[in-house]
Amino acid sequence: KIHPETVALGDVQALHALARQGAWRATLEKATAALQGPADVGGNGARPATNSPAWLCLKTFQVVALAKLRRHAEAADALNALGDLDDARYNTAPGGACATPYALRVLQAELPNLAAEEDSRGDAARAAAPARSRTSSSDASYVLAERCETELATLSARGDAHAARTWRRRRDAALHSAVNAHVREGDFLAALARLDWLARRRPADAPDPTILSLAGRVHLILGDVEGAEMCFAASSEAVERAAARGAPVAADVSARCDLDAGTLAMAKKDYAGARRRFAAAAAAAPASDAVAANNCAAAAVYTCDLRGAIETLEHALVTRPVAVAQLESALRNAGSMYDLAAENPAIAKRQLAAFVARFAPDDLDPRLLRT
């Protein structure tokens, strides 16, 4: 774990490390100080040239940190001050390419929705605002996914597998965000209609497993287990076909197939089967095993193995403390399990809170750690 005091002004890589561990206050402080520091003339000084790639990176960390700390109005002001993210003044990357970080585009799509949700908590009269914002948020996310799809096609044609994986993850995240916006509003048919439209744009012999997986999850929310099973099976088959063609299949894609199968097994009340599939997902993709471990623990509870569920979460906490500390549902589940099984729940939850506090992000809801 990197300590904020060791981060030099303008060190973008170190700022990224701070952000990854959830140290948003330190990230904001360091980014703001670097942007307000002396000009970088001849390589000396903390503040890079305005509109340069390094300057845009610092602005991105500043805006993201403000959003994570729920200072949405300030984040929106900082983002709006940048103006059009495709403006020619930001064409400062090598070859005159646009240097705008992708994270700023994500915030542009998501920040209005975050701000509207925050407003609605404090003023019931604004209850209609989140609905309008979420609709525009889903549209913005679809636009973002289209941008990613275009970049992905270019990189795939060029044979740049590493960059293609990055843009595929970004596209998948944008699609998740768009579908989640529909689901939050209870507009499940809109989610399915858009996913169907996206699926039909793909070649018949090369369906997109992510789109099929998302459709399956929407079907599950609707209680349509058979429809979900069909979508998940088609998604898994698409991954198998891609592997058979020799196309690279990322570990997280394989893990998603196991997560889908585990989720379907839970819906069918096959809790032992779900536990096996979630465990397989955790083994397949260590980078995302916090979610799989949390699901595995939940399945273990349903098999009446409360001790095994606690051991699963405690193992995940020890092996991937930063990832689990950022997963609020896992912390909530751990606390509930201690209430049920610990000899002294108050002491167990106090020890959990003390351990998590060492790794918890600054935006973690403090109520999760109360004993």
Side-chain angles (χ1 to χ4, degrees):
K1 187 174 181 178
I2 187 171
H3 196 281
E5 292 182 1
T6 66
V7 177
L9 288 184
D11 187 341
V12 172
Q13 288 188 333
L15 275 177
H16 185 256
L18 277 179
R20 287 291 296 269
Q21 66 192 34
W24 297 114
R25 293 187 185 88
T27 299
L28 176 61
E29 179 185 342
K30 293 289 184 179
T32 301
L35 287 165
Q36 296 174 349
D40 188 352
V41 180
N44 297 314
R47 177 165 57 87
T50 301
N51 300 336
S52 67
W55 184 87
L56 283 167
C57 279
L58 289 172
K59 292 297 291 186
T60 301
F61 281 118
Q62 184 184 52
V63 179
V64 171
L66 285 169
K68 282 291 189 179
L69 293 170
R70 298 181 177 86
R71 294 162 61 176
H72 298 130
E74 294 174 71
D77 289 343
L79 185 59
N80 291 335
L82 294 173
D84 182 1
L85 299 181
D86 290 311
D87 192 275
R89 69 181 182 275
Y90 297 135
N91 294 344
T92 54
C98 182
T100 301
Y102 179 75
L104 282 178
R105 302 187 188 279
V106 175
L107 274 174
Q108 195 173 54
E110 295 291 338
L111 195 54
N113 182 48
L114 294 173
E117 287 183 343
E118 194 73 16
D119 286 346
S120 68
R121 293 191 189 104
D123 187 352
R126 302 175 192 169
R132 291 194 297 271
S133 179
R134 282 168 183 161
T135 301
S136 62
S137 177
S138 66
D139 291 342
S141 294
Y142 283 126
V143 170
L144 205 57
E146 285 292 314
R147 176 186 287 271
C148 294
E149 190 70 50
T150 301
E151 189 68 25
L152 179 58
T154 301
L155 293 167
S156 298
R158 192 186 302 162
D160 190 342
H162 178 73
R165 280 195 297 272
T166 297
W167 282 94
R168 185 175 291 107
R169 285 196 300 270
R170 290 173 173 176
R171 182 210 58 185
D172 293 351
L175 289 175
H176 273 89
S177 179
V179 171
N180 283 339
H182 288 308
V183 170
R184 282 195 300 266
E185 284 300 293
D187 200 354
F188 305 113
L189 294 181
L192 287 175
R194 183 57 74 107
L195 288 170
D196 180 67
W197 177 78
L198 289 169
R200 291 177 186 277
R201 296 178 62 199
R202 298 282 299 182
D205 61 342
D208 190 308
T210 298
I211 293 172
L212 294 167
S213 173
L214 282 171
R217 290 177 180 273
V218 177
H219 277 288
L220 273 186
I221 294 172
L222 288 169
D224 180 10
V225 177
E226 290 185 3
E229 187 167 15
M230 290 176 61
C231 291
F232 289 153
S235 176
S236 181
E237 184 180 351
V239 172
E240 292 172 0
R241 285 183 183 178
R245 291 195 305 267
V249 177
D252 60 325
V253 174
S254 298
R256 186 177 59 230
C257 292
D258 283 314
L259 284 170
D260 288 344
T263 303
L264 182 65
M266 290 287 284
K268 290 182 171 183
K269 297 182 172 56
D270 176 14
Y271 304 121
R275 188 177 182 181
R276 288 192 298 271
R277 298 309 292 263
F278 290 141
S288 59
D289 66 354
V291 172
N294 186 37
N295 291 351
C296 187
V301 170
Y302 280 98
T303 63
C304 300
D305 184 9
L306 195 53
R307 293 291 180 187
I310 291 173
E311 288 175 3
T312 297
L313 279 182
E314 287 180 341
H315 176 74
L317 271 166
V318 171
T319 56
R320 292 191 61 77
V322 174
V324 178
Q326 295 181 6
L327 188 61
E328 294 188 357
S329 58
L331 301 179
R332 192 177 295 110
N333 286 343
S336 298
M337 291 174 192
Y338 284 142
D339 281 333
L340 293 171
E343 183 176 343
N344 190 322
I347 293 177
K349 291 168 71 175
R350 196 174 300 122
Q351 291 174 338
L352 172 67
F355 181 83
V356 170
R358 294 162 50 194
F359 305 96
D362 291 340
D363 58 321
L364 180 70
D365 187 344
R367 291 173 296 182
L368 290 172
L369 300 179
R370 289 176 184 169
T371 54

